[in-house]
Amino acid sequence: MRSLATTWQTVGPYFRIGMERLMVADIAGEGVEGQRIRVQVRVLDGDDVPIPDAVLEVWQANSHGKYAHPEDTQDKPLEQRFRGYGRIGTDDDGWLRFDTVKPGPVPGPGDVDQAPHLVVGLMMRGLLKRLVTRMYFPGEVLNQTDPILMLVEGARRKTLVARAGVEDVKVLTWEIHMQGKDETVFFEL
Amino acid sequence: MGLIAPYRRPYAGTQPEYLHAPYVSTVKRAPTRPLVAIPQTLSEVTGPHFGKDDIVQGAFDLTKQHAGEPLGERIVVSGRVLDEDGRPMPHTLVEIWQCNAAGRYLHKRDQHNAPLDPNFTGQGHTMTDEQGRYRFVTIRPGEYPWANHYNAWRPAHIHFSLFGPAFATRIITQMYFPGDPLLPFDPIYNCTADVAARERLISRFDWETTIPQEALGYEFDVILLGRDATPTEEPKRR
Ligand SMILES: [Fe+2]
């Protein structure tokens, strides 16, 4: 007999008690290959008020486009020191920051390469279940053909693409708007 | 890579909607646009794996993290992590957090006028065994007031966070206690349309895991999304 998956409940405002231990803001430690980037994310509510009690989880492939997971059977190098997981909470001003390497492209539906992206899960007080989204990289040719981005109406795709810094292109800024005219695209898996 | 076998979507009504006005914090934080349905790709059917190195030995026992014993009623909370087809989920990380017996969290934002317990942090974690079983020793958390509406009190609960095999199977939930009179009044517990799905969040008193002269046992199973055997490129609906 089939049972049904357990119901989600909010992380609430006090998730740090349980989730702090595995907070990871330095996703790619020393020796991990690839282009180093810093990502700064701001999370804003429907009144554009910064959200100080959100937690973001990142899942990503390494710079070769390989996930540290048994179901990734691609013939690409794995790196022992790279799990590809990050967990970061927002500060009092709704900001969170993490360092990582830019992931390589991974295959998508029909074996079409997906553009480099971070898979993102977002939780907070007031979210009864996780929101799933993705962060894409600015100026990527593959963004024009990415099979997931193509499912998003053209005008909203920009909500998924981070901005490169003016002074340092390796510093990316991404705003997550829960609501409003720039509401971020969230996915149903 | 060939075709990807996706994890199932949740059965209708068994998961909360984002906007649930009785829980006031959802009003400015729930998305207003429909979610964009996407097929699961390699990115979603993979996910982080944790091993023994990520676990502190003894972290399953929340009553032994300090010099003295925490105040409150000692309990054992145990159960299994399974998927929707009853397959055990071995070696998966389970993290929990909770308030102390007086209903106070060890957190700077918790201003509830109830005492902190110097012998209780409220953080625990463990890994499921080969059969998907987990076990925690802790104290029964207290009920606590919150600002959601007039005279609002949260029923006693323990927060649970699990990964399972994939990004798609991630779940964070709350476990409740049988017979809690606050459950009918709680907008978070009642956020899910399906009554049976809600009731599965209530643990069961378990005489078998109760330790004589020591601790009451509560059983709580966590079910992760199942997976259809046939790979497909279309997202499955049911
Ligand atoms: Fe709580």
Side-chain angles (χ1 to χ4, degrees), chain A residues 44-48 153-160 175-186, chain B residues 30-33:
Chain A
L44 300 159
D45 77 5
D47 292 330
D48 275 343
E153 62 177 287
R156 297 190 71 205
R157 283 178 203 156
K158 64 176 191 300
T159 69
L160 300 175
E175 271 150 25
I176 298 180
H177 293 267
M178 306 307 295
Q179 301 177 351
K181 66 173 172 37
D182 300 319
E183 181 173 321
T184 301
V185 170
F186 299 107
Chain B
T32 63
R33 314 269 199 116

Side-chain angles (χ1 to χ4, degrees), chain A residues 11-14, chain B residues 97-99 105 144 154 157 159 174:
Chain A
V11 288
Y14 309 126
Chain B
W97 66 97
Q98 64 168 90
C99 61
Y105 282 96
Y144 59 86
R154 293 292 334 274
H157 61 274
H159 296 264
Q174 300 180 26

Side-chain angles (χ1 to χ4, degrees), chain B residues 76 205-218:
Chain B
V76 172
F205 168 69
D206 184 29
W207 189 82
E208 293 288 333
T209 52
T210 293
I211 309 172
Q213 316 298 327
E214 182 74 16
L216 290 181
Y218 289 91

Side-chain angles (χ1 to χ4, degrees), chain B residues 24-41:
Chain B
V24 176
S25 301
T26 66
V27 174
K28 293 290 181 191
R29 295 183 170 193
T32 63
R33 314 269 199 116
L35 302 191
V36 175
I38 62 169
Q40 291 171 28
T41 73

Side-chain angles (χ1 to χ4, degrees), chain A residues 2-11 13-19 21-22 45-47 51-53 57 59 67 69-74 83 85 87 92 106-107 109-111 114 117 119-121 123-132 134 148 151 153 156 178-179 181 183 185-189, chain B residues 1 8-9 11 14-18 20 23 25-33 35-39 41-50 54 84-85 93 95 97 105-107 109-110 121-123 125 159 163 165 167 170-174 176 188 191-192 197 200-201 222-223 225 227 233 238:
Chain A
R2 177 176 291 178
S3 33
L4 297 174
T6 303
T7 295
W8 267 79
Q9 295 268 276
T10 181
V11 288
Y14 309 126
F15 59 80
R16 276 186 186 272
I17 296 171
M19 296 180 75
R21 199 185 66 90
L22 273 188
D45 77 5
D47 292 330
I51 296 180
D53 51 5
E57 289 185 324
W59 171 238
Y67 284 106
H69 189 280
E71 286 196 33
D72 187 336
T73 55
Q74 300 177 90
R83 173 148 54 197
Y85 172 72
R87 175 193 283 180
D92 289 344
V106 299
D111 272 345
Q114 303 187 56
H117 62 274
V119 175
V120 169
M123 284 84 66
M124 64 184 75
R125 170 176 66 84
L127 267 191
L128 285 160
K129 56 183 173 182
R130 174 178 70 168
L131 276 169
V132 171
R134 287 179 170 205
I148 301 301
L151 296 172
E153 62 177 287
R156 297 190 71 205
M178 306 307 295
Q179 301 177 351
K181 66 173 172 37
E183 181 173 321
V185 170
F186 299 107
F187 294 122
E188 179 184 18
L189 299 182
Chain B
M1 280 295 294
R8 290 184 204 118
R9 288 191 168 160
Y11 194 78
T14 63
Q15 295 291 337
E17 299 297 326
Y18 290 102
H20 181 64
Y23 175 22
S25 301
T26 66
V27 174
K28 293 290 181 191
R29 295 183 170 193
T32 63
R33 314 269 199 116
L35 302 191
V36 175
I38 62 169
T41 73
L42 189 61
S43 302
E44 289 80 23
V45 300
T46 53
H49 278 197
F50 300 90
D54 300 303
E84 291 181 313
D85 301 301
L93 181 66
E95 300 170 282
W97 66 97
Y105 282 96
L106 183 58
H107 190 288
R109 284 207 188 91
D110 187 357
T121 302
Q123 183 269 134
H125 61 270
H159 296 264
F163 287 84
F167 179 81
R170 182 94 171 91
I171 179 166
I172 296 181
T173 189
Q174 300 180 26
Y176 298 92
I188 294 179
C191 68
T192 303
R200 287 193 291 272
L201 297 179
V222 180
I223 312 297
L225 285 172
R227 193 178 200 184
E233 294 214 351
R238 64 179 178 190

Side-chain angles (χ1 to χ4, degrees), chain B residues 62 130 150:
Chain B
L62 286 73
E130 208 65 51
Y150 172 69

